[in-house]
Amino acid sequence: MTNIAVLVSGRGSNLQAIIDSIESGFLKASIAVVISDTGDAYALERARKHGIDAIFVDPRRFERKELFEEEVLRTMKGHCIDLVLLAGYMRVLGKTLLAPYKGRILNIHPALLPAFIGLHAQKQAFDHGVKVTGCTVHFVDETLDSGPIILQRCVEVKEDDTIETLTQRILEEEHKIYPLAVKLFIENRFRIEGRKVKIIK
Ligand code: GRF
């Protein structure tokens, strides 16, 4: 059974999609712990409702990022974590967290990478006037939103879209591809060749 840690900062709808996929039997995994860097993240409440350990690690308690990440690491180590999922986690990971879980950290981004990295990707795409955007699940490495891509889904931008309606349709696709990517990881169904993630059918 794959043991997952989920790092969050906010609402946690992607966390919910993973929880639902486990509870429905789609994913043979268990979420050992949810860690948030904000105390009032709704994601913490979602986790607790499902009996999952939900821990707030307050970054303000630590002088440096490394010290904060060491505390996150300590929290995860007690749980024998195989896979780390970033789900709306608003911090760029440093070496302290990346090194021990190299190749085992995934992120979901609300745009078709490498377009529109960083914050407010949906708005960046919308303002740019693209006709198609979407979402991406990728491995996390030391560069922001740049690790090898596992899955992507397209979302058409409609003439009458607002940033809200577009964001909502992207989110619906996020909730589909994140569990799918996790399933591929758990079942070891891909090969990484350089930047390319080849999916084994
Ligand atoms: C999602 O749009 C995700 O792609 C991005 O942050 C948002 C998190 O939403 N990284 P939620 O907390 O999972 O609802």
Side-chain angles (χ1 to χ4, degrees):
M1 181 80 94
T2 304
N3 249 348
I4 299 176
V6 186
L7 303 191
V8 296
S9 299
R11 179 180 55 186
S13 69
N14 278 289
L15 165 69
Q16 190 69 54
I18 302 293
I19 293 175
D20 294 346
S21 302
I22 290 173
E23 292 187 350
S24 74
F26 179 73
L27 291 177
K28 305 268 176 288
S30 112
I31 299 179
V33 65
V34 171
I35 301 171
S36 174
D37 65 345
T38 56
D40 58 358
Y42 184 55
L44 288 172
E45 229 174 277
R46 290 186 196 262
R48 289 181 189 126
K49 274 190 198 152
H50 291 265
I52 300 166
D53 252 5
I55 296 165
F56 165 44
V57 179
D58 188 348
R60 290 168 304 190
R61 275 173 42 216
F62 305 91
E63 256 174 46
R64 294 195 317 277
K65 178 174 173 158
E66 299 92 276
L67 300 174
F68 164 70
E69 290 201 338
E70 272 167 22
E71 179 62 22
V72 173
L73 205 56
R74 260 194 296 280
T75 311
M76 293 205 296
K77 274 199 176 138
H79 292 277
C80 296
I81 298 303
D82 306 300
L83 171 66
V84 179
L85 300 179
L86 309 187
Y89 182 67
M90 300 304 282
R91 277 165 202 276
V92 178
L93 292 199
K95 282 205 178 70
T96 311
L97 271 175
L98 279 170
Y101 293 101
K102 195 171 182 315
R104 295 188 288 149
I105 309 179
L106 311 187
N107 181 43
I108 178 109
H109 184 76
L112 293 175
L113 291 173
F116 310 120
I117 63 168
L119 290 177
H120 311 302
Q122 305 96 325
K123 183 168 186 310
Q124 291 183 53
F126 186 73
D127 290 348
H128 196 84
V130 296
K131 303 293 184 190
V132 175
T133 182
C135 48
T136 304
V137 180
H138 64 95
F139 284 103
V140 176
D141 62 14
E142 42 295 312
T143 315
L144 181 66
D145 297 329
S146 89
I149 291 169
I150 303 172
L151 288 177
Q152 292 188 303
R153 250 324 140 73
C154 293
V155 173
E156 195 188 330
V157 183
K158 297 183 178 158
E159 295 282 312
D160 61 352
D161 259 331
T162 60
I163 182 63
E164 289 78 20
T165 56
L166 179 62
T167 298
Q168 180 55 33
R169 287 210 313 291
I170 295 172
L171 195 61
E172 282 162 21
E173 296 307 317
E174 292 183 37
H175 297 163
K176 292 177 198 157
I177 66 166
Y178 213 179
L180 263 176
V182 171
K183 191 176 177 72
L184 292 174
F185 183 95
I186 290 172
E187 295 176 358
N188 208 6
R189 278 178 43 212
F190 50 71
R191 234 184 12 253
I192 304 180
E193 294 174 6
R195 280 210 53 87
K196 299 202 177 76
V197 179
K198 301 248 164 101
I199 304 212
I200 304 160
K201 298 271 181 213

